[in-house]
Amino acid sequence: MGPSSGSGFYVSRAVAALLAGLAAALLLALAVFAALYGHCSRLPSSELCGGAAPCSTHSPPRQPQERPPTSPPGPALEPVAASTPSSWQPPGPWDRLRLPSWLVPLHYELELWPRLQPHELSARSLRFTGRVNITVRCVASTTWLLLHSLFLECEHAEVRGPLPVGTEDAPVGRVPVNDVWFALDTQYMVLELGEALKPGSRYELRLSFSGQVNQDTREGLFLNVYTDQGESRALVASHMEPTFARMAFPCFDEPALKATFNITIIHHPSYVALSNMPALGQSEKDVNGSKWTVTTFYTTPQMPTYLATFVICDYDHVNRTERGKEIRIWARKDAIANGNADFALNITGPIFSFLEDLFHISYPLPKTDIIALPNFDNRAMENWGLLVFDEALLLLYQNDQLTEKKIVISYIVAHEIGHQWFGNLVTMNWWNNIWLNEGFASYFEFGIINYVNPKLPKNEIFFSNILHGILREDHALASRTVSMELENFTETSEISELFDFFTYHKGASMARMLASFLSENLFIGALKSYLEAFSYSNAEQDDLWRHFQLAIDNQSKILLPATVKSIMDSWTHRSGFPVITLNVSTGVMTQEPFLHAKLKNETLLTHNDTWIVPILWEKSGATQSLVWLDARSKVFPEMQISDSDHDWVILNLNVTGYYRVNYDKLGWKKLNEQLERDPKAIPVIHRLQLIDDAFFLSKNNYTEIETALDLTKYLAEEDEIIVWHTALANLLTRDLVSDVSNYHVYPLLKKYLLKRLNLIWNTYADIIRENVAALQDDYLALISLEKLFGTACWLGLEDCLELSRELFRKWMNHPENEIPYPIKNVILCYGIALGNDKEWDFLLNIYTKTTKEEERIQLAYAMGCSKEPWILNRYMEYAIDTSIFNFNETNIIEVVAASEVGRYIAKDFLVTNWQAVSERYGTQSLISLMYMIGRTMNTDSQITELQQFSSNMLEEHQRITVHAKLQTIKNENLKNKIQIARIAEWLQKNS
């Protein structure tokens, strides 16, 4: 027997065994309960992550609704600690989208080790590990430490500090880490600390982590697989904007939380590693007999996490030096050897120099790398020191000479280099003002390229590329403003939605309008002051306005009706734009918000709800002084004209204002008379503006369609192809073209337009036949020719049809005789439409041998141009029965339904084969087809018949969608009939 206890009581062996069993059962029950509670609530790690203890915490597993898995199929990892449903986690700062202001990051020591190896794409090679030490300053006492982390597994967490000031070897304490868990909705890693961090002290957060390289998305660290020198190869690159840095390493992933970075990349010796800064050094790492290279980089300037970047690749490069700094363009070795990167290299240096001279602020990094990725979703990214492009937007090939590619590359390179000042040097405080980055970078594209290529018409290109599109998207009832209110954001996904037309195009238009009512010197001077004041820092929209106001206050020449903030806030904090109407008989000018399909006398404008509108204008060709419309209505006697004189007035000089202009009947009449008398007296940009404004405003009930049509009478004298493009795009709408059989519009249109097309047609037909190379630097012609040629052939112009036959047959007989790219779609279509099965089978053969997606889509649509019903039926049968059309990029039934002949054949085919079509393209395609076919129908009975047909093959929710769309078509058809009847009547009088 054992000794008795000095105090207490004696327990027999049997009782002890029983109690031990009960205790074990109780402990087991508690353990199970704790595990269940933990997994529902916080899922704490199996070991506390305090001090230097290992942390087996895992990040939230990838959720199906968030993102598909990117690794090859394999055993699922069972997280020990993961995020939790919000109903289980306690309320706290992790529920908010913005990080709390307790901590400010100062510096990142970041090491990443992707396991990518040549000729190996196993699950192991698509993982990466990493370590990050983040030095932070504590601003407010806290026992919580929040930072961003998404799809990462935390393996170790440690907090050291407070850090000594100025004593390198002084001992450093540790702050206990009691728990680590994740908040999935807000993408936070949360560290619960054993003691509070002290305000004013610095700490170091040490984390080890791992994750997967994305294969399906270009976010965080991602993979590209490509072919180079006849071999399949792979690279790993990164993309962090706006909120993807947290997928590559745990960080404080907000733009205002700038810090410096020391980056180290571990990679296979056969690859090169690139990052924001130049390489500082390399060493070798031996892991179980495998050799790895460790590349370290110099310390970055202060920058946000979204600009941190790295690439691991087997690429080659070309380089040059600009003002003592090296510029390198990296691309596939084949592309470098063929000189495809040379154009980008040659324009990059001069663009940097132009912006340095413009702002008198030097580019602060010692080098610039620009890399062309095989797949970057047709995007580009301005990472400081390492700009990343989709190769389609950077590399220039021999067969690109007759495309707009050279100009597109120029603009995109200029945009990303512009970001080195707007975005990188000075960053918006948060994403609600991303337009301060993107709007100004977009605006300066045009000044930069005008410097590089002075022959390009800056105003006309801005109108065509920027203003035309955004003015068709924007309206008073849109919920989107350029500058968004911060409190409107509740989810991370909403940030990505900001990278849209409004940020880029309306933002650029705001910058251009601001520059227009200030002098160029004042505009640039204010921006220089702004950039200097906020270098390596962050700014709000009001900071920008403040620097413009300072520039205004320091001079007396330019007088404004209100502060810069009041003027510009009336635009950036409001959706839509105003329609400015001038009555030239009285000089009265009014403003009202633009509304789609405005009803008679409808308005949303209240007494105080107006824009402060700069009105630059000209009278009879002479530029006049700037005036302001800062009320709903105002009288300008100097704008009055009479019916008896030859004067005319145009508002919105060079179309620099973000608004559309309407006139009274006399104002339009005077402009029309001037166009017929001497169109060249009105500049090209204003001939564009008048036609576009008149047609757009007539479509939306602000003026009469006859007013717009009158402006086309002079077109026989118009020799600018961009003006023709605008006129044809506005006149030959989809509704009009699809309804040409009604009201005998087609023969009237044919007679009217062919009489006016001769001059412009002969000019460009001769160029195509005799010297097509002359087009390669004519950007406006390159983007306009397809519309001109397509219209001429559609109208039955014999020379156009003959040219189509001629070019198609030359290509058939000698494929080296490439069809000129700007009109290739037209020639392919009419080559098929005017041919028979011989031409069609030739194109099908080309299709089967083509692997490029863009070319396959082009050929697929061309084959749908046949006018032979049996060919189109065979085409659709091929699509659903054979493997020829095994690519999913094109729905062949939709292609056929889009053509004049095919719309009826597609409907009949669908009635017979709807089940097969549904299986081939999905039930959603049936909804699209119903809509496409419905748009071509002219009578209510036809629509009703289609509704009955769709009811038999769609599920209830799909049937509701289709019926609603078809009802909309009914209403549109009624409106279109009225409009087309008026057009027919006008053509009858003027043909």
Side-chain angles (χ1 to χ4, degrees):
M1 104 191 145
S4 63
S5 173
S7 63
F9 54 91
Y10 169 79
V11 180
S12 72
R13 183 172 298 181
V15 175
L18 176 62
L19 291 176
L22 289 171
L26 179 60
L27 288 172
L28 179 61
L30 288 172
V32 171
F33 178 78
L36 287 171
Y37 176 77
H39 276 275
C40 291
S41 150
R42 318 170 117 197
L43 300 141
S45 59
S46 59
E47 295 184 65
L48 292 181
C49 304
C55 175
S56 55
T57 304
H58 293 254
S59 78
R62 293 174 182 269
Q63 303 293 321
Q65 68 270 24
E66 293 289 323
R67 183 178 319 287
T70 58
S71 62
L77 291 169
E78 178 65 30
V80 178
S83 69
T84 66
S86 57
S87 58
W88 286 99
Q89 79 189 19
W94 41 84
D95 297 323
R96 293 190 282 273
L97 181 63
R98 297 291 303 276
L99 280 165
S101 57
W102 307 326
L103 301 173
V104 177
L106 304 174
H107 179 71
Y108 291 81
E109 290 280 344
L110 174 62
E111 176 188 281
L112 286 175
W113 184 5
R115 298 305 198 275
L116 182 69
Q117 299 184 65
H119 313 298
E120 182 187 344
L121 286 179
S122 64
R124 177 182 174 278
S125 69
L126 293 176
R127 290 194 65 78
F128 67 91
T129 57
R131 298 184 299 178
V132 64
N133 297 345
I134 311 173
T135 303
V136 300
R137 184 178 71 251
C138 180
V139 177
S141 179
T142 176
T143 55
W144 303 92
L145 199 158
L146 275 67
L147 71 165
H148 290 104
S149 179
L150 185 63
F151 305 141
L152 297 175
E153 297 168 9
C154 171
E155 293 159 0
H156 177 94
E158 177 184 347
V159 177
R160 302 174 73 245
L163 301 180
V165 179
T167 309
E168 291 288 332
D169 299 325
V172 177
R174 289 193 176 100
V175 178
V177 179
N178 293 343
D179 198 1
V180 177
W181 53 279
F182 292 85
L184 176 59
D185 289 345
T186 45
Q187 303 176 359
Y188 290 137
M189 175 192 290
V190 182
L191 279 67
E192 294 185 18
L193 306 179
E195 61 186 51
L197 303 184
K198 299 174 183 177
S201 296
R202 292 181 308 127
Y203 296 84
E204 185 179 63
L205 170 60
R206 295 186 170 191
L207 297 167
S208 297
F209 55 91
S210 62
Q212 285 190 331
V213 175
N214 281 317
Q215 296 180 75
D216 302 324
T217 60
R218 262 52 64 190
E219 298 171 356
L221 284 183
F222 63 88
L223 182 77
N224 266 194
V225 179
Y226 62 98
T227 300
D228 193 12
Q229 298 181 323
E231 295 181 356
S232 178
R233 298 183 183 177
L235 62 80
V236 169
S238 69
H239 178 58
M240 309 304 195
E241 190 183 34
T243 58
F244 308 135
R246 64 195 67 176
M247 298 168 67
F249 59 99
C251 57
F252 296 85
D253 200 10
E254 291 189 3
L257 299 178
K258 290 188 172 185
T260 54
F261 288 75
N262 281 352
I263 293 171
T264 298
I265 304 294
I266 303 175
H267 56 95
H268 192 274
S270 63
Y271 293 123
V272 63
L274 303 172
S275 188
N276 304 85
M277 299 297 287
L280 174 62
Q282 286 189 335
S283 60
E284 191 177 87
K285 181 185 182 79
D286 190 312
V287 180
N288 299 325
S290 295
K291 304 292 185 184
W292 295 85
T293 299
V294 181
T295 301
T296 59
F297 297 90
Y298 282 93
T299 305
T300 71
Q302 276 202 315
M303 65 182 193
T305 49
Y306 80 82
L307 291 178
T309 187
F310 359 88
V311 176
I312 298 170
C313 62
D314 182 16
Y315 265 14
D316 206 347
H317 71 274
V318 288
N319 67 301
R320 63 176 283 176
T321 300
E322 183 79 11
R323 296 184 175 178
K325 295 182 179 182
E326 187 176 31
I327 297 169
R328 300 183 295 186
I329 310 289
W330 296 82
R332 290 175 295 107
K333 294 179 179 180
D334 280 342
I336 294 296
N338 292 331
N340 304 136
D342 293 350
F343 176 73
L345 180 69
N346 291 335
I347 64 173
T348 297
I351 291 173
F352 269 105
S353 295
F354 171 77
L355 288 171
E356 286 185 329
D357 293 341
L358 184 67
F359 298 120
H360 302 288
I361 299 173
S362 296
Y363 173 66
L365 272 65
K367 62 90 177 176
T368 297
D369 286 314
I370 302 179
I371 190 164
L373 300 186
N375 186 356
F376 194 45
D377 297 336
N378 283 312
R379 293 182 299 181
M381 179 61 201
E382 67 268 16
N383 310 303
W384 228 352
L386 175 54
L387 288 71
V388 179
F389 283 67
D390 191 304
E391 64 177 27
L393 304 179
L394 189 70
L395 304 182
L396 189 69
Y397 297 91
Q398 183 61 38
N399 58 2
D400 289 331
Q401 295 305 314
L402 275 179
T403 72
E404 62 270 28
K405 184 82 171 287
K406 186 183 291 187
I407 303 300
V408 170
I409 290 172
S410 300
Y411 278 113
I412 295 174
V413 170
H415 180 97
E416 303 308 328
I417 294 176
H419 273 309
Q420 308 307 299
W421 284 264
F422 295 96
N424 297 8
L425 185 65
V426 178
T427 311
M428 75 281 143
N429 201 49
W430 203 69
W431 300 108
N432 60 313
N433 276 317
I434 182 61
W435 86 273
L436 295 177
N437 286 21
E438 300 297 349
F440 279 88
S442 297
Y443 168 72
F444 276 104
E445 289 176 30
F446 295 87
I448 292 167
I449 299 309
N450 201 239
Y451 165 78
V452 174
N453 189 346
K455 292 182 180 179
L456 285 174
K458 183 169 68 171
N459 289 324
E460 289 78 3
I461 292 178
F462 190 94
F463 178 88
S464 300
N465 289 8
I466 303 290
L467 202 54
H468 175 266
I470 187 60
L471 284 177
R472 287 176 182 270
E473 292 288 323
D474 203 5
H475 58 91
L477 298 180
S479 60
R480 182 74 163 87
T481 58
V482 170
S483 178
M484 301 287 284
E485 295 298 329
L486 197 57
E487 54 268 22
N488 291 346
F489 293 85
T490 58
E491 296 181 11
T492 305
S493 60
E494 293 170 339
I495 296 170
S496 294
E497 295 169 5
L498 292 172
F499 291 80
D500 61 4
F501 245 19
F502 293 92
T503 288
Y504 288 80
H505 290 184
K506 189 171 182 178
S509 301
M510 294 297 98
R512 184 168 177 257
M513 182 169 65
L514 180 60
S516 73
F517 66 77
L518 304 174
S519 68
E520 181 73 10
N521 287 340
L522 192 150
F523 179 73
I524 296 300
L527 286 177
K528 177 178 180 291
S529 170
Y530 164 78
L531 291 170
E532 287 175 341
F534 294 97
S535 289
Y536 308 104
S537 186
N538 299 78
E540 300 277 7
Q541 177 177 274
D542 282 355
D543 296 318
L544 180 64
W545 302 155
R546 199 172 299 114
H547 281 265
F548 276 106
Q549 191 62 50
L550 286 170
I552 288 291
D553 294 343
N554 288 332
Q555 54 84 58
S556 56
K557 186 177 180 182
I558 297 171
L559 302 176
L560 301 180
T563 64
V564 173
K565 174 176 168 57
S566 297
I567 293 169
M568 294 308 297
D569 279 358
S570 77
W571 297 88
T572 62
H573 286 309
R574 288 195 61 190
S575 59
F577 59 88
V579 175
I580 306 300
T581 301
L582 174 65
N583 186 319
V584 298
S585 302
T586 62
V588 174
M589 188 188 301
T590 60
Q591 62 166 292
E592 60 181 309
F594 169 74
L595 297 169
H596 280 298
K598 185 189 81 154
L599 301 175
K600 191 172 183 181
N601 299 323
E602 181 181 14
T603 181
L604 288 180
L605 204 62
T606 63
H607 178 69
N608 295 318
D609 195 18
T610 58
W611 287 268
I612 304 177
V613 188
I615 307 290
L616 289 161
W617 62 294
E618 63 176 315
K619 188 172 187 176
S620 303
T623 300
Q624 307 295 309
S625 298
L626 168 70
V627 298
W628 290 87
L629 181 61
D630 53 0
R632 184 173 181 177
S633 177
K634 210 168 181 179
V635 179
F636 297 95
E638 64 270 34
M639 295 184 184
Q640 288 180 265
I641 55 177
S642 68
D643 196 10
S644 59
D645 57 35
H646 291 306
D647 285 341
W648 45 272
V649 172
I650 288 180
L651 304 185
N652 202 3
L653 189 65
N654 292 324
V655 200
T656 55
Y658 188 71
Y659 51 87
R660 289 192 183 271
V661 181
N662 195 11
Y663 302 92
D664 66 337
K665 286 186 178 180
L666 179 60
W668 284 117
K669 177 187 173 186
K670 288 296 187 180
L671 290 165
N672 187 45
E673 288 174 352
Q674 180 58 49
L675 286 172
E676 294 193 62
R677 185 168 54 247
D678 178 15
K680 293 296 178 71
I682 297 178
V684 175
I685 184 62
H686 289 298
R687 305 206 294 274
L688 278 173
Q689 174 204 14
L690 291 173
I691 291 171
D692 200 59
D693 278 356
F695 274 98
F696 188 80
L697 293 174
S698 70
K699 179 182 178 182
N700 291 284
N701 305 326
Y702 285 84
T703 190
E704 306 300 327
I705 182 61
E706 293 80 4
T707 299
L709 291 168
D710 284 342
L711 294 175
T712 67
K713 291 179 182 177
Y714 88 98
L715 284 175
E717 305 300 319
E718 182 58 75
D719 58 1
E720 292 289 344
I721 192 169
I722 188 63
V723 179
W724 266 102
H725 180 275
T726 299
L728 294 174
N730 278 289
L731 181 57
L732 303 179
T733 62
R734 182 176 60 181
D735 294 325
L736 183 66
V737 169
S738 65
D739 273 352
V740 290
S741 59
N742 283 332
Y743 307 107
H744 312 292
V745 173
Y746 179 75
L748 294 172
L749 267 174
K750 180 175 180 177
K751 181 179 179 182
Y752 181 78
L753 287 174
L754 288 184
K755 193 160 62 176
R756 288 162 174 78
L757 268 170
N758 283 334
L759 173 63
I760 196 72
W761 169 259
N762 290 335
T763 299
Y764 284 96
D766 288 347
I767 292 173
I768 292 292
R769 286 189 168 105
E770 298 169 10
N771 185 24
V772 69
L775 294 171
Q776 65 182 359
D777 293 321
D778 189 346
Y779 176 72
L780 293 180
L782 291 174
I783 64 173
S784 303
L785 271 170
E786 183 176 309
K787 189 67 178 178
L788 175 66
F789 272 65
T791 299
C793 284
W794 180 73
L795 292 171
L797 181 65
E798 188 53 44
D799 191 43
C800 183
L801 299 176
E802 183 54 41
L803 184 57
S804 296
R805 289 190 196 96
E806 175 189 332
L807 292 175
F808 192 94
R809 285 172 183 164
K810 279 184 179 179
W811 178 57
M812 271 186 73
N813 297 329
H814 303 282
E816 68 274 11
N817 292 328
E818 281 281 345
I819 299 170
Y821 180 85
I823 57 171
K824 189 171 182 178
N825 286 331
V826 177
I827 303 305
L828 289 176
C829 184
Y830 280 92
I832 293 296
L834 299 169
N836 52 38
D837 57 331
K838 178 184 176 182
E839 286 79 9
W840 199 94
D841 289 342
F842 169 77
L843 218 58
L844 178 63
N845 185 50
I846 298 290
Y847 179 94
T848 59
K849 295 177 180 178
T850 299
T851 57
K852 292 183 178 178
E853 182 179 344
E854 181 184 354
E855 290 182 22
R856 290 176 68 90
I857 293 172
Q858 187 179 51
L859 295 170
Y861 274 91
M863 286 187 282
C865 293
S866 175
K867 297 192 181 296
E868 296 286 349
W870 73 270
I871 290 179
L872 293 176
N873 268 305
R874 185 183 68 171
Y875 189 20
M876 291 186 287
E877 287 170 2
Y878 282 170
I880 62 174
D881 292 338
T882 73
S883 61
I884 296 174
F885 300 97
N886 58 353
F887 284 74
N888 289 323
E889 73 268 9
T890 311
N891 184 323
I892 301 303
I893 317 301
E894 288 185 8
V895 168
V896 173
S899 70
E900 289 180 55
V901 176
R903 63 187 64 159
Y904 306 106
I905 298 166
K907 179 198 167 190
D908 293 340
F909 185 87
L910 196 58
V911 170
T912 308
N913 300 278
W914 71 269
Q915 187 67 46
V917 172
S918 177
E919 290 173 2
R920 173 68 177 85
Y921 294 111
T923 54
Q924 187 61 37
S925 69
L926 299 176
I927 297 174
S928 300
L929 282 165
M930 290 296 105
Y931 188 59
M932 289 183 68
I933 294 169
R935 287 192 67 84
T936 67
M937 296 184 169
N938 303 311
T939 66
D940 287 353
S941 61
Q942 288 175 317
I943 297 290
T944 301
E945 180 187 349
L946 195 59
Q947 285 176 328
Q948 291 171 348
F949 165 61
S950 66
S951 296
N952 297 326
M953 65 177 188
L954 296 176
E955 295 179 8
E956 179 64 23
H957 69 283
Q958 295 171 325
R959 189 160 55 247
I960 293 170
T961 300
V962 168
H963 283 208
K965 285 189 173 184
L966 292 177
Q967 186 59 47
T968 300
I969 290 172
K970 275 187 183 181
N971 299 335
E972 289 175 351
N973 283 345
L974 179 62
K975 178 185 173 184
N976 291 335
K977 282 179 182 178
I978 298 170
Q979 187 84 326
I980 291 171
R982 291 176 65 178
I983 293 172
E985 183 181 353
W986 186 92
L987 288 170
Q988 192 78 50
K989 293 176 182 176
N990 291 279
S991 294

